[in-house]
Amino acid sequence: MEEQLKNDFEKSFKNSNFSSKSISLKKEFLNKFIKDGLPNKSLENWKFSDINQIIKKEIGDLSFYNDISTPNKIDSAIYLNGLEQNSIVFINGRAEKIDFQFEEKNKIEILDDFELNNNYSEINSLIDLNSAFVEKSFKILIKENYSLKKPLVIYHYTNKKIKSKNINLRLNFILEKNSSLKLIDVLNDISEKNFINTFYSFKLNQDAILKNYKIDNKNNNNIKYSFTNIEHEKNSLSETFIVSSGSNFNKNEINCNLNGKYASAFINGIFSLNKKKHHEIRTSVNHLTELTKSYQLIKSVLENEARAVYQGKIYVNSEAQKTDGYQLSKAVLLDETTEFNAKPELEIYADDVKCSHGSASGSLNENSIFYLMSRGLNYKEAKELLIKGFLLDVVEKITDSEIKNLIKNIVGLKE
Amino acid sequence: MLKINNLKAKVEEKSILNGFTLNINPGEVHAIMGPNGSGKSTLSNILSGKKGYDVSGEILFENSDLFSLETEERAHKGIFLAFQYPLEIPGVNTSVFLKTSLNAIRKARGEKELDALEFLKLVKQKSKDLKFDEEKLNRQLNVGFSGGEKKKNEILQMSILNPKLSILDETDSGLDIDALKIVANGVNSLRRKNNAFLIITHYQRLLDYIKPDHVHVLMNGKIIKSGGPELALELEKKGYESFS
Ligand SMILES: Nc1ncnc2c1ncn2[C@@H]1O[C@H](COP(=O)(O)OP(=O)(O)OP(=O)(O)O)[C@@H](O)[C@H]1O
Ligand SMILES: [Mg+2]
């Protein structure tokens, strides 16, 4: 892999206009990645999802150079229907369109010049890989007191032109004081056997509100990793909702730092997996000052050799008195070939806190199925109704009613 | 309508029903009384098609072999069981469930499914008749319902589905006296020449309101005595002991 990495790396900045400073920094990241390699199960964070093995098995050899010089045509079928939206369309990792048609132009700043820093390098080697190879790093800034009128939908689309490739994406969002953004990530792949590595960072200044809905529901053979970092200043709020279903493998990592009083983070999600899919959500919510709040609810429905992993950590430092932290995961295993791994973790150094966590998994209640069948529903209908019922309360956590309905449609909860 | 002949049922080598025989004709109301653990709920479950029993014997419902029918097919044919312990189904709206159920049955019978408006009209009328709090229709099925409310919900379902054979497994337990009268009225108003009821109860009281044609005493998985309504009174006085 080392030779491939080096060759692809040379190619990647031949046609680009990175500064020499950027290039030398990128080289550092590359060397660090070469040294560490892909994460594997000997690392605590990766013990349930050995991405090194998974890539080896599902893809084999990866290539890392992604030629973004030629534009791709956007198929209008990719757009979410019935939703007025701003949009950014990535096709095979190339930004084809950035459109804030519903917004006041001077309230949003978009920069696509590369800006690297070492801040995240400690997290894992995939961030280094991302830093070394990402072509453009987008920075989107929402001005003070501005709330986007319509959601921003980011389409992550891939087509048949790529195979066995590693695609790296990077977006930084800065929400200035009292601004707000609703962001929907839609994953949609026609391509097969690629490894897509996405890195988002959000800075929420005082009173800012971020709602991020990450939707992976189209069946595909790709391997995905996404890391999201959210910095919360005073009284800011983030709501993250994950629909984890479509890709062959997907690991979503969400890191929230609650730096300012009254900041709060909500992370909810659904795993709906079949056919040997393996997905993970790993969260770490860091309560770093007093009077902050976090809430997490993850529900899984698994069948047919699927595996879901939820590692959720709540960290409360010694200053973070009056922290309110909650975390719960529940899984329904539809057959005996499935597996759900939950690793809830509380690490608390303050004494006046309210924190709880829990996890439960089991099969559907046969008596409930019998009850529904005795009312005329067949086995499949009874099962589906119970599953819908099981998933409903987590979808109900979505605070935006338009997007809630959209997601209800997507996960089949619409009556 | 229903012919049960020499029904035996076992669970994990434990015999629960030991040669149970019963005939129910259209238009009749039968009551079964029997001590705890005598096999009443097991009988109801088997009639509705619950899996997990080792059964032998014969059950014919309108001349078709019940054992060859799935639970939902029995419901389509008009068998209804009001559960002794109705289940709570989180996340499933009561009214949506009722509509799904009714339309599944109508569809299987080749009848037109009801649209939202027609259904609403029907469910409102039936709720009113049974004094079932309409607000509960918008709650999750049986979740947070009181014991009596759950039982009333069973009767509401029965009156909406309008079955041919209704099996009421201790529907009266847990009902207050007013609710008991309402439920009894509900049953009486559904009585027709072409349908039948099998009422399982521990208390003669219910039979003051729903007059049975036949009363049976079940012990150790077998009917040990049958008679008219007077048998219930006798049981009430003497207890099961005197029959064993
Ligand atoms: N699935 C099962 N596994 C083991 N034993 C069972 C099972 N179902 C029923 N039984 C046993 O069979 C016997 C009859 O049970 P059943 O529920 O039919 O009684 P019942 O007459 O309805 O009693 P009650 O008046 O208390 O409702 C009981 O001893 C019960 O413990
Ligand atoms: Mg019983």
Side-chain angles (χ1 to χ4, degrees):
Chain A
M1 183 159 83
E2 184 171 339
E3 205 165 315
Q4 179 88 37
L5 280 163
K6 283 183 170 158
N7 290 338
D8 289 347
F9 185 71
E10 293 299 324
K11 284 189 219 159
S12 74
F13 53 84
K14 232 178 209 156
N15 304 319
S16 68
N17 39 14
F18 296 130
S19 66
S20 57
K21 187 177 153 247
S22 280
I23 292 177
S24 70
L25 201 50
K26 276 161 108 33
K27 269 196 178 127
E28 273 180 42
F29 288 120
L30 176 73
N31 289 330
K32 198 157 170 284
F33 179 72
I34 288 173
K35 191 174 122 271
D36 296 340
L38 291 163
N40 63 49
K41 66 166 182 276
S42 69
L43 301 166
E44 188 62 20
N45 289 350
W46 296 86
K47 69 175 181 184
F48 299 107
S49 308
D50 187 328
I51 199 166
N52 183 42
Q53 278 303 322
I54 290 166
I55 287 176
K56 232 184 221 158
K57 185 165 160 269
E58 303 292 331
I59 302 180
D61 290 333
L62 275 177
S63 66
F64 302 88
Y65 170 56
N66 187 28
D67 181 2
I68 61 164
S69 56
T70 39
N72 296 287
K73 233 185 106 216
I74 301 172
D75 178 353
S76 62
I78 68 170
Y79 291 108
L80 289 178
N81 277 330
L83 180 76
E84 288 189 310
Q85 58 191 267
N86 304 290
S87 60
I88 299 180
V89 179
F90 286 102
I91 299 184
N92 301 340
R94 184 183 190 278
E96 307 293 344
K97 179 177 154 191
I98 299 179
D99 175 5
F100 283 92
Q101 57 170 319
F102 289 98
E103 310 306 328
E104 294 172 31
K105 295 297 164 266
N106 60 345
K107 298 294 186 187
I108 299 168
E109 249 174 47
I110 304 164
L111 301 162
D112 66 358
D113 51 345
F114 200 86
E115 209 182 297
L116 276 176
N117 58 49
N118 269 315
N119 293 356
Y120 301 103
S121 193
E122 290 314 308
I123 294 166
N124 66 53
S125 64
L126 295 175
I127 311 274
D128 296 327
L129 177 68
N130 187 298
S131 303
F133 283 98
V134 69
E135 306 279 344
K136 277 183 177 174
S137 170
F138 290 90
K139 183 171 178 179
I140 296 172
L141 185 139
I142 318 280
K143 294 280 177 66
E144 190 167 328
N145 297 326
Y146 189 69
S147 290
L148 267 75
K149 297 190 172 66
K150 298 293 169 190
L152 166 63
V153 185
I154 301 186
Y155 295 92
H156 302 255
Y157 183 78
T158 62
N159 62 28
K160 291 264 186 223
K161 282 189 204 160
I162 55 166
K163 191 163 186 183
S164 305
K165 259 200 196 318
N166 165 227
I167 303 280
N168 297 287
L169 278 182
R170 191 162 189 140
L171 284 108
N172 306 312
F173 291 85
I174 297 170
L175 275 67
E176 284 190 348
K177 199 172 160 192
N178 196 35
S179 65
S180 79
L181 168 68
K182 291 173 203 162
L183 171 61
I184 307 175
D185 287 288
V186 176
L187 277 52
N188 188 344
D189 300 78
I190 308 295
S191 75
E192 286 185 21
K193 299 191 186 281
N194 296 290
F195 170 46
I196 298 162
N197 182 12
T198 307
F199 178 23
Y200 275 12
S201 73
F202 296 93
K203 165 91 178 176
L204 308 185
N205 286 295
Q206 187 178 332
D207 305 327
I209 298 175
L210 166 71
K211 298 183 181 180
N212 184 197
Y213 306 94
K214 296 173 182 290
I215 303 173
D216 173 22
N217 77 310
K218 296 252 167 68
N219 281 329
N220 71 88
N221 263 327
N222 289 323
I223 307 290
K224 297 188 182 154
Y225 174 69
S226 148
F227 184 87
T228 302
N229 187 70
I230 311 176
E231 296 293 331
H232 289 80
E233 298 312 320
K234 188 174 169 189
N235 199 40
S236 63
L237 180 150
S238 71
E239 172 183 324
T240 304
F241 192 93
I242 299 169
V243 176
S244 201
S245 176
S247 301
N248 191 0
F249 173 89
N250 194 352
K251 173 161 173 163
N252 266 291
E253 254 188 278
I254 313 285
N255 185 77
C256 294
N257 291 330
L258 299 165
N259 307 307
K261 268 190 202 175
Y262 309 114
S264 48
F266 297 82
I267 304 169
N268 300 307
I270 289 177
F271 289 108
S272 172
L273 303 174
N274 57 16
K275 292 185 243 164
K276 298 192 176 180
K277 286 174 184 168
H278 176 166
H279 284 209
E280 172 165 344
I281 293 174
R282 179 173 178 268
T283 63
S284 61
V285 178
N286 303 305
H287 294 264
L288 304 172
T289 191
E290 57 181 357
L291 294 161
T292 55
K293 178 177 171 157
S294 68
Y295 183 98
Q296 304 178 55
L297 176 63
I298 305 291
K299 289 205 163 182
S300 310
V301 178
L302 308 177
E303 75 182 304
N304 216 335
E305 298 183 56
R307 180 174 183 192
V309 179
Y310 171 56
Q311 303 196 69
K313 180 169 179 177
I314 300 175
Y315 171 88
V316 181
N317 80 4
S318 57
E319 284 151 52
Q321 300 297 355
K322 306 243 180 317
T323 284
D324 182 356
Y326 178 88
Q327 185 199 99
L328 181 66
S329 67
K330 281 189 174 177
V332 169
L333 313 179
L334 292 177
D335 60 60
E336 280 157 15
T337 65
T338 59
E339 188 173 336
F340 178 65
N341 306 112
K343 186 182 157 209
E345 257 184 293
L346 295 179
E347 195 176 328
I348 300 174
Y349 298 99
D351 46 28
D352 182 15
V353 302
K354 199 175 92 194
C355 280
S356 69
H357 67 76
S359 175
S361 63
S363 52
L364 284 180
N365 183 339
E366 286 298 326
N367 290 328
S368 302
I369 292 178
F370 173 60
Y371 186 56
L372 298 178
M373 287 177 74
S374 78
R375 300 304 186 250
L377 282 69
N378 65 33
Y379 184 76
K380 188 163 166 270
E381 292 164 338
K383 206 170 96 174
E384 279 168 4
L385 195 63
L386 289 178
I387 291 170
K388 282 185 189 180
F390 171 73
L391 292 178
L392 187 73
D393 67 340
V394 61
V395 178
E396 289 294 345
K397 301 283 179 224
I398 295 172
T399 54
D400 183 272
S401 60
E402 189 181 23
I403 297 174
K404 173 158 56 186
N405 278 329
L406 188 110
I407 290 182
K408 276 188 178 176
N409 268 326
I410 286 172
V411 299
L413 283 176
K414 211 70 204 147
E415 270 121 27
Chain B
M1 170 178 273
L2 181 75
K3 292 196 174 81
I4 306 175
N5 199 358
N6 197 25
L7 176 66
K8 294 180 181 165
K10 276 201 256 180
V11 175
E12 288 154 10
E13 298 307 306
K14 178 184 154 75
S15 292
I16 304 174
L17 296 176
N18 302 299
F20 181 95
T21 298
L22 179 69
N23 272 320
I24 299 180
N25 296 311
E28 290 180 347
V29 174
H30 288 242
I32 292 186
M33 304 179 83
N36 296 129
S38 55
K40 303 182 298 297
S41 294
T42 303
L43 173 70
S44 320
N45 289 337
I46 289 173
L47 288 174
S48 279
K50 190 171 183 184
K51 302 258 160 36
Y53 303 99
D54 207 347
V55 291
S56 67
E58 185 184 47
I59 310 177
L60 295 176
F61 179 68
E62 296 192 317
N63 298 320
S64 50
D65 168 25
L66 260 198
F67 290 138
S68 68
L69 297 176
E70 291 296 329
T71 298
E72 77 275 18
E73 294 171 317
R74 301 181 195 197
H76 301 159
K77 282 201 174 296
I79 293 181
F80 179 89
L81 167 61
F83 280 58
Q84 182 176 5
Y85 305 109
L87 284 104
E88 299 189 3
I89 312 287
V92 174
N93 176 283
T94 302
S95 167
V96 170
F97 161 71
L98 285 172
K99 181 160 169 268
T100 309
S101 163
L102 177 63
N103 280 337
I105 291 175
R106 292 182 68 97
K107 195 172 154 201
R109 290 181 184 162
E111 296 166 6
K112 189 182 135 310
E113 294 180 42
L114 295 193
D115 64 28
L117 225 62
E118 293 166 323
F119 175 75
L120 197 70
K121 218 180 129 201
L122 175 71
V123 77
K124 272 190 179 243
Q125 185 56 50
K126 298 289 183 187
S127 304
K128 212 172 134 213
D129 293 346
L130 291 167
K131 297 203 167 56
F132 185 83
D133 182 4
E134 268 183 52
E135 180 265 331
K136 300 220 159 41
L137 292 170
N138 283 319
R139 298 229 308 245
Q140 302 179 30
L141 182 54
N142 289 331
V143 176
F145 286 26
S146 75
E149 286 163 352
K150 286 179 186 168
K151 294 299 183 70
K152 269 187 158 184
N153 189 12
E154 296 291 285
I155 297 305
L156 175 66
Q157 292 173 39
M158 179 179 84
S159 73
I160 286 172
L161 300 179
N162 195 14
K164 284 186 191 152
L165 174 68
S166 303
I167 305 154
L168 275 62
D169 190 357
E170 296 195 29
T171 302
D172 53 335
S173 306
L175 288 183
D176 65 42
I177 188 71
D178 293 342
L180 187 76
K181 283 185 196 161
I182 291 165
V183 164
N185 280 337
V187 171
N188 289 330
S189 71
L190 285 174
R191 281 177 85 159
R192 303 272 184 283
K193 274 209 293 291
N194 59 354
N195 64 12
F197 292 84
L198 178 60
I199 293 174
I200 293 167
T201 182
H202 286 293
Y203 306 106
Q204 125 77 20
R205 191 180 61 166
L206 177 68
L207 305 179
D208 286 342
Y209 300 103
I210 308 172
K211 271 271 159 287
D213 301 299
H214 302 277
V215 174
H216 312 278
V217 181
L218 180 73
M219 279 182 87
N220 299 321
K222 231 175 159 160
I223 291 178
I224 53 155
K225 190 166 181 156
S226 297
E230 72 289 344
L231 184 57
L233 287 166
E234 192 186 332
L235 256 180
E236 183 103 333
K237 270 199 216 102
K238 298 188 184 160
Y240 295 113
E241 282 294 304
S242 63
F243 290 90
S244 50

